[in-house]
């Protein structure tokens, strides 16, 4: 069974490009992460949706996050 987590971010004005760049091209590739999607939800807010093979993989990756 696949496991999904959602993280909300509020980004400081003027830092949106730096925030997105930090997550592009696998820069935020944590061990076990199958896929990460960033969604812009407001003027300075984003959500990251991560998919993992199981809960254990996500918990194991937390120290790297």
């Amino acid at each position: 069974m696949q496991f999904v987590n959602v993280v909300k971010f509020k980004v400081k004005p003027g830092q949106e490009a730096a925030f997105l760049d930090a997550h592009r091209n696998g820069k935020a590739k944590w061990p076990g992460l199958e896929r990460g999607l960033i969604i812009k939800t407001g003027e300075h807010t984003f959500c990251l949706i991560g998919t993992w093979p199981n809960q254990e993989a996500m918990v194991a990756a937390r120290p790297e996050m």
Side-chain angles (χ1 to χ4, degrees):
M1 180 168 96
Q2 194 173 42
F3 191 79
V4 176
N5 73 319
V6 178
V7 181
K8 256 175 81 171
F9 295 92
K10 185 170 184 178
V11 180
K12 292 180 181 180
Q15 296 299 312
E16 293 88 354
F19 169 79
L20 291 171
D21 183 57
H23 291 87
R24 279 196 179 101
N25 302 322
K27 291 179 184 173
K29 181 72 175 158
W30 298 287
L33 179 68
E34 293 178 335
R35 185 168 186 199
L37 300 169
I38 296 277
I39 300 168
K40 185 169 182 156
T41 57
E43 190 172 338
H44 301 289
T45 57
F46 297 82
C47 277
L48 175 118
I49 300 172
T51 59
W52 305 83
N54 52 52
Q55 185 174 2
E56 293 78 18
M58 189 197 76
V59 170
R62 282 183 183 157
E64 300 286 329
M65 291 184 205

